[in-house]
């Protein structure tokens, strides 16, 4: 099954970090469930020079890019208005 790299940048308004923290546990719970299903391979937050979360990186394994878009649309970081710009790239994990 194909793999995809997801790079997501958070909104940059003054409330963005608060929104991230408000839905973070829901996002992480979903991530744990998706990892258990074999969909989410790896994920984490991107960190600013000041040490604050400002985006995310994930690698998922799904049928196609449309399935990835649907999968992302259901994430609490999308429904909670945390992620603003989202990039999806075909990817292949070489080493774990």
């Amino acid at each position: 099954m194909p793999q995809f790299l997801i790079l997501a940048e958070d909104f940059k308004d003054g409330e963005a970090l608060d929104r991230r923290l408000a839905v973070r546990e829901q996002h992480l719970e979903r991530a744990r469930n998706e990892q258990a299903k074999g969909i989410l391979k790896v994920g984490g937050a991107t960190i600013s020079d000041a040490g604050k979360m400002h985006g995310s990186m994930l690698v998922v394994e799904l049928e196609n890019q449309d399935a990835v878009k649907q999968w992302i649309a259901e994430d609490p970081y999308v429904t909670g208005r945390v992620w603003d710009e989202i990039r999806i790239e075909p990817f292949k994990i070489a080493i774990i």
Side-chain angles (χ1 to χ4, degrees):
M1 186 155 331
Q3 296 170 342
F4 296 89
L5 171 67
I6 301 165
L7 295 171
E9 287 291 324
D10 292 1
F11 283 92
K12 293 175 179 41
D13 61 272
E15 305 302 316
L17 183 57
D18 291 338
R19 288 194 306 274
R20 174 182 269 270
L21 296 175
V23 296
R24 187 167 189 258
E25 191 49 47
Q26 295 168 356
H27 167 78
L28 293 175
E29 178 69 22
R30 180 176 189 256
R32 287 187 284 271
N33 290 337
E34 296 299 294
Q35 189 174 42
K37 290 189 231 177
I39 294 172
L40 178 63
K41 299 304 180 184
V42 65
T46 54
I47 308 296
S48 71
D49 290 340
K52 296 190 181 195
M53 296 179 283
H54 66 88
S56 302
M57 181 285 305
L58 303 96
V59 176
V60 297
E61 194 170 89
L62 288 162
E63 300 82 36
N64 54 48
Q65 200 157 2
D66 288 337
V68 176
K69 288 177 184 176
Q70 180 60 42
W71 186 85
I72 291 168
E74 297 169 5
D75 194 281
Y77 279 179
V78 171
T79 60
R81 291 193 32 84
V82 175
W83 288 339
D84 180 20
E85 298 176 28
I86 301 170
R87 210 171 99 212
I88 303 167
E89 298 283 339
F91 192 77
K92 181 71 172 162
I93 294 174
I95 301 171
I96 294 183

